[in-house]
C-alpha cells in the first residue's frame, strides 16, 4: 500500500464514520516506532506507522485511522481532542476507535541493557543506558551493575 491508497482509505473512513470530509494529507511514516499513528496539530496531517499494516493487516490500519481521525475532527471543531477529554472518549466509543494499537515489539524485545542489583539480585531491563552511580534498586536501594548488553 502506498500513500495515495492510504489517503483514499482515510477519506473514505472519515466520510463513512464521521460524516465529515478529511481535507488534509495522510501518509506513512517509517520513523514511527512506538505508536501506530499520530495527528499533527499544526498541519492537521495524519501519519501512520506502516509496520502496523505489515504486521496486523487492514483491520489494525482502519482502527488506527479511526483513532487519529477522532483527534483530527475534534481539533478542527475546537473540542477536546486529547485522550483525557470527555469529547474524545465519547467520539472514540461512537466510531469504535481503540484506545491503543497492538504492539509490534514488547518492552522485553526492545530492551538493550540488563542491570542487576548487587544486594538483592533483582534484574531490570532498560532500553537506554542508565548511570549506575545515580540509579538504585527500586526494592532495596542497593547498587546496580550492568550485567548484559543486548543487540
Amino acid at each position: 500500500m502506498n500513500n495515495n491508497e492510504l489517503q483514499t482509505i482515510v477519506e473514505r473512513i472519515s466520510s463513512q464514520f464521521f460524516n465529515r470530509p478529511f481535507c488534509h494529507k495522510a501518509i506513512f511514516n517509517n520513523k514511527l516506532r512506538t505508536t501506530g499513528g499520530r495527528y499533527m496539530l499544526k498541519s492537521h496531517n495524519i501519519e501512520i506507522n506502516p509496520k502496523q499494516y505489515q504486521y496486523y493487516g487492514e483491520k489494525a490500519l482502519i482502527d488506527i485511522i479511526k483513532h487519529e481521525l477522532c483527534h483530527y475532527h475534534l481539533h478542527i471543531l475546537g473540542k477536546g481532542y486529547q485522550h483525557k477529554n470527555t469529547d474524545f472518549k465519547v467520539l472514540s466509543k461512537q466510531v469504535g476507535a481503540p484506545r491503543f494499537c497492538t504492539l509490534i515489539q514488547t518492552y522485553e524485545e526492545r530492551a538493550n541493557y540488563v542491570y542487576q542489583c548487587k544486594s538483592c539480585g533483582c534484574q531490570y531491563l532498560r532500553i537506554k543506558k542508565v548511570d549506575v552511580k545515580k540509579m538504585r534498586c527500586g526494592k532495596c536501594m542497593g547498587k546496580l551493575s550492568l550485567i548484559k548488553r543486548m543487540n
Side-chain angles (χ1 to χ4, degrees):
M1 179 179 293
N2 61 30
N3 286 334
N4 292 332
E5 293 169 328
L6 176 65
Q7 181 75 31
T8 304
I9 290 172
V10 172
E11 290 171 0
R12 180 178 50 84
I13 291 171
S14 181
S15 61
Q16 180 181 349
F17 288 93
F18 297 87
N19 296 321
R20 301 183 62 79
F22 177 73
C23 303
H24 293 84
K25 283 187 180 179
I27 60 169
F28 284 115
N29 184 346
N30 290 310
K31 293 180 182 177
L32 296 179
R33 298 272 183 244
T34 59
T35 183
R38 68 180 173 187
Y39 165 63
M40 310 299 285
L41 290 172
K42 289 183 180 177
S43 65
H44 304 296
N45 295 337
I46 291 176
E47 297 179 347
I48 303 291
N49 184 343
K51 290 180 184 159
Q52 286 288 328
Y53 176 66
Q54 292 164 0
Y55 280 79
Y56 301 112
E58 194 166 336
K59 168 80 170 90
L61 179 69
I62 290 169
D63 285 345
I64 293 166
I65 291 169
K66 285 181 188 177
H67 178 94
E68 299 310 324
L69 283 172
C70 287
H71 290 297
Y72 171 81
H73 288 298
L74 289 170
H75 184 247
I76 297 287
L77 294 171
K79 295 183 178 180
Y81 59 88
Q82 295 178 333
H83 293 133
K84 65 183 179 183
N85 298 121
T86 305
D87 292 331
F88 182 83
K89 291 175 184 176
V90 168
L91 184 59
S92 293
K93 199 170 195 174
Q94 284 176 353
V95 299
R99 177 80 167 85
F100 300 104
C101 64
T102 309
L103 293 175
I104 294 171
Q105 282 185 314
T106 64
Y107 188 86
E108 289 78 16
E109 292 170 334
R110 293 174 50 219
N112 296 318
Y113 302 94
V114 180
Y115 293 91
Q116 186 170 13
C117 176
K118 291 180 180 179
S119 300
C120 70
C122 187
Q123 290 191 351
Y124 298 94
L125 298 174
R126 292 291 177 264
I127 295 171
K128 293 184 178 181
K129 195 171 187 175
V130 298
D131 185 355
V132 293
K133 293 175 185 169
K134 292 181 181 178
M135 299 299 285
R136 295 292 186 136
C137 176
K139 295 186 178 169
C140 71
M141 297 304 290
K143 290 187 176 185
L144 297 177
S145 63
L146 177 64
I147 61 166
K148 190 175 183 183
R149 183 176 183 344
M150 298 141 90
N151 298 342

